[in-house]
Amino acid sequence: FYEPELFRLFSRIKRLAENTGRSQSFYINQMIENEIDRIEWEYSILRDVEAHRAGRLETVSNDELKAALGLAD
């Protein structure tokens, strides 16, 4: 644990485990389970942005979308 932020994080987990009687791995698993959906969603957005910039993602203009939905003026 050479990174100060990582050291502080694990110190907090250790303290929480000691104060609650649960294991450190319980809290680490909770953290992973609570964040995995958000992280996957963020990376899917990044992939879409990269695909768009590379011209691999089909897009439509706002006017085309309105027309397709029957909302055109």
Side-chain angles (χ1 to χ4, degrees):
F1 302 100
Y2 297 104
E3 297 292 325
E5 291 179 24
L6 190 56
F7 180 78
R8 282 192 294 274
L9 177 62
F10 277 101
S11 294
R12 290 174 62 192
I13 293 169
K14 182 179 180 185
R15 186 172 47 252
L16 183 60
E18 289 169 353
N19 290 339
T20 62
R22 292 199 181 257
S23 68
Q24 292 179 43
S25 62
F26 171 82
Y27 289 108
I28 292 170
N29 287 331
Q30 287 290 306
M31 291 167 40
I32 292 168
E33 289 174 16
N34 290 337
E35 291 298 319
I36 192 71
D37 290 338
R38 181 187 60 81
I39 293 169
E40 288 173 336
W41 176 73
E42 288 175 358
Y43 276 97
S44 73
I45 291 171
L46 290 174
R47 279 192 306 272
D48 288 347
V49 168
E50 290 172 2
H52 174 69
R53 288 179 177 163
R56 297 187 311 266
L57 185 66
E58 185 177 339
T59 61
V60 295
S61 70
N62 192 34
D63 290 336
E64 291 171 319
L65 180 59
K66 284 180 181 180
L69 296 174
L71 302 172
D73 297 326

